[in-house]
Amino acid sequence: MIKASGLKLRFCTNETQATREKFVKKLQGLGFDISVAEVTAPAPAACRLLKERGLRPHLLVHDDLVPEFAEIDKTNPNCVVVGDAAENFSYANVNEAFRVLIGLEKPVLISLGRGRYYKETDGLKLDVGAYMKALEYACDVEAEVVGKPAKAFFESALAEMGVPPQQAIMIGDDIVNDVGGAQQCGMRAVQVRTGKYRYLTRELRETLVVAGMAERRQLGGFPGFPVSVFLLHGAWFAAGPPWCPGELPVPRDLQGPAAPLGGRPTSTSC
Amino acid sequence: MIKASGLKLRFCTNETQATREKFVKKLQGLGFDISVAEVTAPAPAACRLLKERGLRPHLLVHDDLVPEFAEIDKTNPNCVVVGDAAENFSYANVNEAFRVLIGLEKPVLISLGRGRYYKETDGLKLDVGAYMKALEYACDVEAEVVGKPAKAFFESALAEMGVPPQQAIMIGDDIVNDVGGAQQCGMRAVQVRTGKYRYLTRELRETLVVAGMAERRQLGGFPGFPVSVFLLHGAWFAAGPPWCPGELPVPRDLQGPAAPLGGRPTSTSC
């Protein structure tokens, strides 16, 4: 629908379990008109950063992501790059990354995102952020985050589109990584109630909630809709019903859902 | 030497890779006159806490520690207990603990210490604190720490000895868990330059540094030495040479070694 409208479009993902090629192939298989050139992802952003600063990474990432670092010198590492390594987060692997990091004179930890967890068909999974925190604590360092919600990540995607933040809108299901990150970059943001949608924080403002396919179809009719559209996160396309509010406990510092677009509550079927 | 002096003595350990029985047997094998009744450890402290509050734990601990929880009801868990699980910190195990925790209406995370890492013969190992931080971040909770440097842990050991903090002194190699924890409890503290000794923080005051066996033998001659002695941490007994200052990088917020007892620098042989 957005493509048909002629609006500019970019897919921003924190996917670090696969190369962009695999990610795109998966979405194409679901019927989406998408190419690798339209995808902004953390691994290529990390590669740019590594080259710029002459950094040689020790990789703690998913096996399927390794090809993204094919052209990067990984001998005699002087930094650690952590991604969503999933089953590769064994004690031995995490410990090895820790030893490399604490053995550096100036420890540099680069994290491909700061997500807490995500949902797969067999349940919730710990995301890269949890292991980033473990390494930060063990080595007394602060990670440099590449990927959402880092401001530089959004700015990079905007630059690739040639669009200023004021003329772009972000659509995603993650209140921190998608909506919060975009807002900090000066963009407006829309949260959809699919994927891992759960709640809205009090602190994040100007958030519009779009619930269900019916509302999504009205997207072109938003008042003040910008000339460019910025679309993100694979979960937005995820099959299956949206989560019910209350399906998972709401963290202490978070509040219940904000009023949806137009102030009228919308129900979510489960 | 301390036992021969008639001073009261207690061994405080954050050891959570084995039962107290195994821990004591290991030290006895090294020639130490020590019994289980003289040991204060996190697992028994956690069991007391669990019973008092009617908590049923999901255990993320080392296999060898499980017997310490033999009398605790573990059905239908309403909290997670994390210890130094070492190889048991697989992605599957950590994720399972995460799922239990985030599925609770009121998530309770109990950590058997907050250590960052420790040293074994084959190198540095990530300690329980790193995984505690991972779970804290993923579930947006704050762990309750049982073990050093928790004030309650030291108070419990003091109560078992019937000694007020002002009359006790703590000896250990860990500036945060041993020295800092004891000082926060109103005790004086001595840091030895063995085990994982690396540095002293600016913030921790009244710290006496004892380097090498020669100085240790002078312990009874300390000015103002209290009537009770509080001895801790297995690493104090560890075989092998003390670490050289500079063997590992000093975290940004920490400073070099403070002046040792009497103001005269002591050298550390490596």
Side-chain angles (χ1 to χ4, degrees):
Chain A
M1 181 199 76
I2 293 169
K3 279 206 166 183
S5 72
L7 294 167
K8 287 184 186 176
L9 182 63
R10 191 92 190 162
F11 299 87
C12 293
T13 176
N14 265 6
E15 171 66 55
T16 62
Q17 278 202 7
T19 57
R20 282 164 297 169
E21 283 72 14
K22 278 199 175 182
F23 173 73
V24 163
K25 204 171 175 184
K26 182 181 165 188
L27 288 180
Q28 286 172 340
L30 293 170
F32 287 92
D33 175 17
I34 178 174
S35 68
V36 171
E38 290 173 310
V39 175
T40 300
C47 287
R48 281 196 297 275
L49 185 150
L50 294 168
K51 285 179 184 171
E52 282 167 14
R53 290 164 52 185
L55 292 170
R56 300 178 304 277
H58 170 92
L59 298 177
L60 178 57
V61 301
H62 197 283
D63 289 343
D64 290 346
L65 192 72
V66 173
E68 290 274 22
F69 295 87
E71 294 177 9
I72 301 291
D73 179 10
K74 293 178 278 291
T75 58
N76 189 23
N78 57 5
C79 75
V80 167
V81 171
V82 59
D84 173 19
E87 297 299 333
N88 272 356
F89 280 134
S90 66
Y91 182 69
N93 286 350
V94 180
N95 204 54
E96 180 61 24
F98 154 69
R99 286 183 183 181
V100 169
L101 197 56
I102 204 164
L104 298 174
E105 195 177 349
K106 291 182 181 176
V108 174
L109 174 61
I110 295 168
S111 187
L112 306 181
R114 59 166 73 247
R116 295 167 190 257
Y117 55 85
Y118 53 92
K119 191 184 184 186
E120 285 196 343
T121 48
D122 60 343
L124 296 181
K125 299 283 179 81
L126 278 172
D127 202 354
V128 59
Y131 287 87
M132 174 193 83
K133 285 289 172 187
L135 291 172
E136 281 187 339
Y137 178 72
C139 300
D140 192 31
V141 297
E142 189 173 346
E144 301 175 35
V145 179
V146 177
K148 298 178 288 182
K151 198 177 173 186
F153 188 73
F154 290 102
E155 287 172 343
S156 172
L158 288 167
E160 289 162 3
M161 299 169 78
V163 170
Q166 299 77 12
Q167 293 191 2
I169 192 166
M170 175 84 166
I171 304 172
D173 64 349
D174 188 309
I175 193 66
V176 174
N177 289 310
D178 299 339
V179 175
Q183 287 178 337
Q184 283 183 358
C185 190
M187 298 167 63
R188 297 183 69 187
V190 171
Q191 187 186 31
V192 291
R193 287 187 174 179
T194 56
K196 61 183 163 186
Y197 168 80
R198 281 175 64 193
Y199 38 68
L200 292 180
T201 64
R202 187 174 30 189
E203 293 76 14
L204 297 168
R205 288 178 285 275
E206 289 192 67
T207 300
L208 308 176
V209 178
V210 184
M213 288 308 293
E215 285 84 352
R216 264 188 232 153
R217 288 195 201 96
Q218 299 168 8
L219 201 59
F222 275 3
F225 197 69
V227 295
S228 302
V229 158
F230 197 51
L231 182 59
L232 76 145
H233 200 63
W236 194 58
F237 314 105
W243 290 14
C244 280
E247 185 181 343
L248 288 171
V250 177
R252 293 167 304 172
D253 62 336
L254 299 177
Q255 295 215 332
L261 184 65
R264 187 176 53 80
T266 53
S267 64
T268 309
S269 63
C270 298
Chain B
M1 183 199 76
I2 294 170
K3 279 206 166 180
S5 72
L7 293 167
K8 287 185 185 176
L9 181 62
R10 191 92 188 162
F11 299 85
C12 295
T13 177
N14 266 6
E15 171 66 55
T16 61
Q17 278 202 8
T19 58
R20 281 165 297 170
E21 282 72 14
K22 279 200 176 184
F23 173 72
V24 164
K25 204 172 175 184
K26 181 181 166 189
L27 288 180
Q28 286 172 341
L30 292 169
F32 287 91
D33 175 17
I34 178 175
S35 69
V36 171
E38 291 173 310
V39 175
T40 300
C47 287
R48 282 196 296 275
L49 185 150
L50 293 168
K51 284 178 183 171
E52 282 168 16
R53 291 164 52 186
L55 292 170
R56 300 177 304 277
H58 170 92
L59 299 177
L60 178 57
V61 301
H62 197 283
D63 288 345
D64 290 346
L65 192 71
V66 174
E68 290 274 21
F69 295 88
E71 293 178 9
I72 301 291
D73 179 9
K74 293 178 278 290
T75 58
N76 189 22
N78 56 6
C79 74
V80 168
V81 171
V82 60
D84 173 19
E87 297 299 333
N88 272 356
F89 280 134
S90 65
Y91 182 69
N93 286 351
V94 180
N95 204 54
E96 180 61 23
F98 154 70
R99 286 183 183 181
V100 169
L101 197 57
I102 203 162
L104 298 173
E105 194 177 351
K106 290 182 181 177
V108 174
L109 175 61
I110 296 169
S111 187
L112 306 181
R114 60 165 72 246
R116 295 167 190 256
Y117 55 85
Y118 52 92
K119 192 184 183 185
E120 287 196 341
T121 50
D122 60 343
L124 297 181
K125 299 284 180 79
L126 278 172
D127 202 355
V128 59
Y131 288 88
M132 174 193 83
K133 285 289 172 185
L135 291 171
E136 281 187 340
Y137 179 72
C139 299
D140 192 31
V141 298
E142 189 172 348
E144 300 175 37
V145 179
V146 178
K148 298 177 288 182
K151 198 175 173 186
F153 188 73
F154 290 102
E155 287 172 343
S156 171
L158 288 168
E160 290 162 3
M161 299 168 79
V163 169
Q166 299 78 11
Q167 293 191 2
I169 191 165
M170 175 83 166
I171 304 173
D173 64 350
D174 189 310
I175 192 67
V176 175
N177 289 310
D178 299 339
V179 176
Q183 287 178 337
Q184 284 183 357
C185 191
M187 297 167 63
R188 296 183 69 188
V190 170
Q191 187 187 30
V192 292
R193 287 186 174 179
T194 57
K196 61 183 163 186
Y197 167 78
R198 280 174 65 195
Y199 38 69
L200 292 179
T201 65
R202 188 173 31 191
E203 293 76 15
L204 297 167
R205 284 178 285 274
E206 289 193 69
T207 299
L208 309 177
V209 178
V210 184
M213 290 308 294
E215 286 84 351
R216 263 188 232 154
R217 288 194 201 98
Q218 300 168 4
L219 202 59
F222 274 1
F225 197 68
V227 295
S228 302
V229 159
F230 197 52
L231 183 59
L232 74 145
H233 200 64
W236 194 58
F237 313 107
W243 291 14
C244 281
E247 186 182 343
L248 288 172
V250 176
R252 293 168 304 174
D253 62 336
L254 299 177
Q255 295 215 330
L261 183 66
R264 188 176 53 81
T266 54
S267 63
T268 310
S269 62
C270 296

